[in-house]
Amino acid sequence: MVATRVMEVLTSTPSAHSGMTQKNVVVGCRTPDVRQADSAVYKLRGEFREQQSQLFIGNNYRVRVRRSLLQRSGLDVRAIDAAQPFDYESVRLQELQNKNKLKVGIVGFGNFGQFLAARIVKQGHRVLAYSRTDYSEKAQELGVAYFRDADDFCEEHPEVVLLCTSILSTEAVLQSLPTQRLKRHTLFVDVLSVKEFPKNLFLQVLPPEFDILCTHPMFGPESGKGSWNELPFVYDKVRVRKGRRSRAADIFLDIFAKEGCRMVEMTCAEHDRYAAGSQFITHTVGRVLGKLALQSTPINTKGYETLLGLVENTAGDSFELYYGLFMYNPNATEELDRLELAFDSTKRQLFGQLHDVLRKQLFPGDGAEKASSSQGSLDTSSKNGSSTNGGTRIVSNVDTAPPVFESVLIKSVELEKDPDSISSKSPKH
Ligand code: NAP
């Protein structure tokens, strides 16, 4: 019987644009017996070593050679197509192709779960999903096997269980999963936008034999609808065993690395500190601006376009997600307070400046000092209108002063009298 060794060869060729493009080809090596095949393969490996290339064969090795080297080596490179399923060669080939593929079970098949599923399927992994709502049709469209029953889902033995549930529902969903039906080496991954919370939850709830990887793709269906190139992907290998057990985690992370994500390894605590100051603020400002119902105009500046983009980016996310960012990140309250203080201080700066200008306009002869000394009892009689502000009578003596000046003056007096009047209304959480 002819022994066959099949190698996957990764060749690099210069691309039209820049750098090299890489291409997998299969090298078949047939010899009369297995030992000979092995030694042939080792010989090839030696040759490639001499050429300063890396060679890997089967599960353990991969060849990285330039096409020119390949041709010079006289290797027989052939496409193995139309192979019969019983053919050893095709079985090995299948093994090679599957060795980097995972069976990923998504729990929570909403907006973000579907978004991730589409890319994972595209990379050739098998995806199953389970959710509270019936998403059978959507799943079919995406090439995902959908399960309405958690037992059936777990009995499919996904290698990775990927939690894409809302932050608020995660605990209940995790507690309700029949984890005893899963294999002992299952890897649990989450994508929640907060990280300390799922990490502690996983460590508390999951049996010790399961591995844990906490991740946060720092993009969503809107910001990641095109390429994921350079988009940050944060992860923390909370409990990933070394050796063969790390295979699932490595392949899972590789899904994002292959899409060009910027892979950032950091602890869950670090993530939450950074995310409160960046992601939570982004969502808050996006939501505040969303309430202004900003419209596009024919004279949009670049800055304004950015603001419209921010509103669009955040408007698609559920309020539950935003609320989860607030409730489950201990740093969020502080950031909200800081945002409010910053807004007040900016406002005070504006009104403070205006106050001086207005004083000069309203009391042209008196000079700023005089006006300043009379401030707080601005009960000057005048020929123009007057208004009352909490006992302080503010009177404008300029015929031409536009009405808005008066309200601005009232506001600036109010702010000067009680600078903390607004910031002291910070919500207690
Ligand atoms: P979401 O509103 O945060 O979560 C929706 C998902 O949670 C759906 O799958 C939904 O299931 C499930 N769910 C909600 N309440 C449930 C309950 N009581 N019981 C069972 N399942 C429940 O929106 P999302 O955008 O899809 O986000 C999912 C996760 O991804 C969140 O943890 C979020 O922080 C994270 N994430 C989102 C983004 C993003 O841009 N959207 C980016 C990074 C990370 P059904 O649909 O079956 O009801």
Side-chain angles (χ1 to χ4, degrees), residues 8-14 20-27 48 54 62-71 75 77:
E8 190 186 10
V9 180
L10 193 67
T11 60
S12 298
T13 49
M20 311 286 275
T21 46
Q22 296 190 324
K23 195 178 162 204
N24 286 303
V25 295
V26 174
V27 178
F48 284 125
Q54 300 160 260
R62 202 163 91 226
V63 183
R64 184 184 287 258
V65 286
R66 283 197 299 277
R67 185 180 286 279
S68 55
L69 289 180
L70 234 156
Q71 281 158 354
L75 268 179
V77 180

Side-chain angles (χ1 to χ4, degrees), residues 40-253:
V41 153
Y42 273 92
K43 192 163 164 277
L44 290 173
R45 187 175 159 208
E47 280 174 22
F48 284 125
R49 272 238 183 89
E50 277 168 27
Q51 307 282 7
Q52 306 275 309
S53 305
Q54 300 160 260
L55 173 70
F56 305 94
I57 300 160
N59 283 335
N60 304 317
Y61 308 107
R62 202 163 91 226
V63 183
R64 184 184 287 258
V65 286
R66 283 197 299 277
R67 185 180 286 279
S68 55
L69 289 180
L70 234 156
Q71 281 158 354
R72 249 187 282 147
S73 74
L75 268 179
D76 182 13
V77 180
R78 62 184 88 142
I80 302 178
D81 53 1
Q84 300 303 309
F86 48 80
D87 184 351
Y88 176 77
E89 207 168 74
S90 74
V91 172
R92 283 293 289 134
L93 184 60
Q94 196 64 47
E95 272 175 25
L96 266 173
Q97 282 166 352
N98 287 343
K99 76 175 195 277
N100 289 330
K101 299 299 172 210
L102 285 177
K103 194 196 269 192
V104 181
I106 296 182
V107 176
F109 203 54
N111 197 16
F112 199 65
Q114 292 172 23
F115 168 67
L116 288 185
R119 290 287 167 115
I120 301 176
V121 168
K122 210 168 133 204
Q123 285 201 19
H125 301 281
R126 205 179 142 208
V127 179
L128 344 162
Y130 160 72
S131 204
R132 165 180 74 159
T133 309
D134 184 4
Y135 289 111
S136 312
E137 273 183 31
K138 189 74 209 169
Q140 204 177 2
E141 267 173 44
L142 293 171
V144 170
Y146 195 73
F147 294 83
R148 297 240 40 210
D149 183 282
D151 289 290
D152 293 346
F153 171 82
C154 289
E155 277 174 7
E156 284 290 312
H157 297 151
E159 294 156 275
V160 175
V161 172
L162 176 60
L163 260 99
C164 296
T165 40
S166 69
I167 299 169
L168 303 186
S169 68
T170 296
E171 183 167 3
V173 173
L174 188 64
Q175 299 271 18
S176 70
L177 276 185
T179 49
Q180 72 281 4
R181 298 193 187 282
L182 293 165
K183 291 231 165 152
R184 286 164 62 85
H185 57 263
T186 307
L187 170 72
F188 268 75
V189 183
D190 84 287
V191 291
L192 269 57
S193 308
V194 291
K195 293 274 54 80
E196 276 283 281
F197 164 66
K199 172 189 161 181
N200 295 333
L201 184 68
F202 278 173
L203 288 171
Q204 270 169 29
V205 172
L206 292 176
E209 59 270 17
F210 288 161
D211 283 349
I212 299 170
L213 175 67
C214 288
T215 78
H216 184 198
M218 306 288 299
F219 49 90
E222 219 16 77
S223 51
K225 63 182 164 203
S227 159
W228 291 1
N229 201 33
E230 280 305 313
L231 298 178
F233 182 91
V234 176
Y235 65 97
D236 184 1
K237 290 180 177 174
V238 173
R239 190 169 70 200
V240 177
R241 268 86 166 178
K242 299 254 181 301
R244 286 183 58 206
R245 288 286 295 263
S246 73
R247 173 187 168 270
D250 292 342
I251 300 177
F252 182 82
L253 290 173

